[in-house]
Amino acid sequence: MYPTALTQLARGNPFSSPLFNIQKVEEPKQSLHGQKTRTLAAAATSDEGEVEFGSQKYFLLCGFGGILSCGTTHTAVVPLDLIKCRLQVDPEKFKSIGNGFRLTVREDGVRGLAKGWAPTFIGYSMQGLCKFGFYEVFKVFYSDLLGEENTYLWRTSLYLAASASAEFFADIALAPMEAVKVRIQTKPGYANTLRECVPKMYAEEGVWAFYKGVVPLWMRQIPYTMMKFSCFERTVELLYKHAVPKPRSECTKSEQLVVTFVAGYIAGVFCAIVSHPADSVVSVLNKESGSTATQVLKKLGPKGVWKGLVARIIMIGTLTALQWFIYDSVKVYFRLPRPAPPEMPESLKKKLGLTE
């Protein structure tokens, strides 16, 4: 027999090798708890040594892809992130992106644009590990609960639930370094390096200094990630259906990566808009000692929370596109299964009378 829900889920992932075949597998064996264990062979390529879909190695390599995609891209845009944070916390001094760059270079030199690169790289690497790794884990888990037909019918809800679950843990991993990064970037004279900032923050506020922003982070990152994954997955599906002039199976890997980049940028624009108010709160909260999210929100007001939005759209759009591009490339390099966009199961077609 062929595997059911998880096979369909594998097909539903936006990435796939142009050449693949579905391999026949044996009936799932009974586990120690009396439940069937699923054997996954979806979208198996003809290459020997391919990692099995849903295996521990598969999830670990997906996590590694997340480290590379998030850690490198966020570090690359540190200068823009620095200006964005300063626009949010001191709008009277830093009035625009161009003005922010000029003032920063005048006061701190060109090297000042790289402030906060170390906590950015460490923090977002850890976040990427959890974000992409746990997304794949939860997507498989929820698909098993739903079954093959419901996995297809409720695929958008599955993307939303899996990404929200993954981001919950990712933000716990990110919070300490995010707090350090914002303190370095937005409080002139406080600290210039990670090694200088961490002990100083701990001495003043204890461990709470590193985790007081976790709730605003959840407010910012969970909607962001839900939009990032669900919008990307559905955009890829729509691009291949309506925009790409030939079937995905006939596209080269380079052509598939172009679709990945475009879909990632579109998703990134929506991500930036959805999560920007909470991002403004996080920036101000981590700059000011003793403040709460509610106090900061009242202080900023309805207009203040949207300061720096243009800079963030540029940054997040580019980031998201590059992250998906790098993540897909890692899957290609390690020969991980990259299934095609989802198709309606035959059993569901029969129920709906679409086939004889």
Side-chain angles (χ1 to χ4, degrees):
M1 293 180 66
Y2 293 94
T4 55
L6 291 182
T7 298
Q8 192 63 38
L9 174 64
R11 290 175 182 161
N13 192 284
F15 304 126
S16 175
S17 173
L19 300 176
F20 68 90
N21 61 286
I22 304 299
Q23 294 181 345
K24 195 172 183 178
V25 298
E26 296 180 0
E27 182 70 23
K29 299 178 182 179
Q30 295 287 331
S31 69
L32 293 175
H33 301 288
Q35 297 178 337
K36 288 184 178 181
T37 55
R38 297 174 184 264
T39 305
L40 305 172
T45 68
S46 58
D47 297 333
E48 291 185 6
E50 184 191 79
V51 178
E52 182 185 7
F53 177 81
S55 64
Q56 185 178 28
K57 185 176 181 181
Y58 172 81
F59 292 133
L60 288 173
L61 288 174
C62 286
F64 177 69
I67 290 175
L68 291 182
S69 66
C70 291
T72 55
T73 53
H74 277 277
T75 304
V77 295
V78 160
L80 186 57
D81 184 46
L82 170 71
I83 302 306
K84 183 267 300 180
C85 287
R86 290 184 171 181
L87 285 171
Q88 290 171 326
V89 302
D90 195 356
E92 294 193 8
K93 181 178 179 181
F94 300 94
K95 301 184 183 301
S96 66
I97 297 174
N99 173 258
F101 273 108
R102 287 193 296 272
L103 284 177
T104 299
V105 172
R106 185 188 308 161
E107 294 176 357
D108 302 323
V110 176
R111 291 185 63 182
L113 293 172
K115 271 190 174 183
W117 75 267
T120 296
F121 178 74
I122 296 170
Y124 282 94
S125 293
M126 293 302 98
Q127 188 210 35
L129 169 67
C130 298
K131 185 197 294 279
F132 283 92
F134 283 144
Y135 175 69
E136 299 288 353
V137 171
F138 281 114
K139 195 161 64 166
V140 167
F141 176 72
Y142 293 143
S143 177
D144 266 346
L145 295 179
L146 289 172
E148 181 184 22
E149 293 179 1
N150 285 329
T151 291
Y152 175 79
L153 291 172
W154 296 92
R155 59 192 183 279
T156 302
S157 298
L158 185 146
Y159 302 147
L160 291 169
S163 56
S165 301
E167 190 60 38
F168 177 85
F169 296 101
D171 289 341
I172 296 173
L174 169 65
M177 290 297 102
E178 177 74 1
V180 173
K181 180 204 73 148
V182 173
R183 190 68 63 93
I184 291 173
Q185 290 181 337
T186 62
K187 206 166 183 180
Y190 184 84
N192 291 316
T193 65
L194 175 66
R195 287 181 294 178
E196 184 183 350
C197 190
V198 170
K200 198 169 183 180
M201 289 177 65
Y202 181 78
E204 291 176 357
E205 301 178 65
V207 177
W208 175 243
F210 304 102
Y211 287 98
K212 70 178 184 179
V214 73
V215 173
L217 263 181
W218 282 330
M219 292 167 57
R220 179 187 84 183
Q221 290 296 131
I222 289 178
Y224 163 87
T225 302
M226 292 170 72
M227 183 66 73
K228 174 179 180 175
F229 282 88
S230 61
C231 184
F232 172 80
E233 300 255 27
R234 294 311 298 262
T235 301
V236 166
E237 188 178 333
L238 291 172
L239 286 175
Y240 279 114
K241 189 175 181 179
H242 301 291
V244 180
K246 57 184 176 180
R248 186 182 184 282
S249 58
E250 297 178 12
C251 295
T252 64
K253 283 187 173 69
S254 298
E255 290 169 338
Q256 291 178 15
L257 288 174
V258 171
V259 175
T260 296
F261 187 88
V262 172
Y265 209 103
I266 292 170
V269 172
F270 288 101
C271 289
I273 295 170
V274 165
S275 61
H276 190 73
D279 181 67
S280 297
V281 174
V282 170
S283 296
V284 177
L285 189 65
N286 285 322
K287 178 196 174 188
E288 299 178 355
S289 302
S291 297
T292 66
T294 304
Q295 291 171 338
V296 171
L297 195 57
K298 288 180 179 178
K299 179 182 176 182
L300 289 173
K303 291 185 178 180
V305 295
W306 294 105
K307 288 284 185 179
L309 177 61
V310 175
R312 193 156 187 269
I313 285 177
I314 297 169
M315 183 182 79
I316 296 300
T318 306
L319 274 178
T320 306
L322 288 174
Q323 284 171 7
W324 280 115
F325 185 88
I326 293 170
Y327 184 65
D328 194 15
S329 299
V330 169
K331 281 191 166 186
V332 171
Y333 181 81
F334 288 109
R335 290 187 288 185
L336 301 183
R338 299 162 55 243
E343 296 178 359
M344 185 180 293
E346 289 300 321
S347 60
L348 187 57
K349 288 180 180 179
K350 289 178 181 178
K351 285 182 180 179
L352 298 175
L354 300 177
T355 57
E356 295 182 359

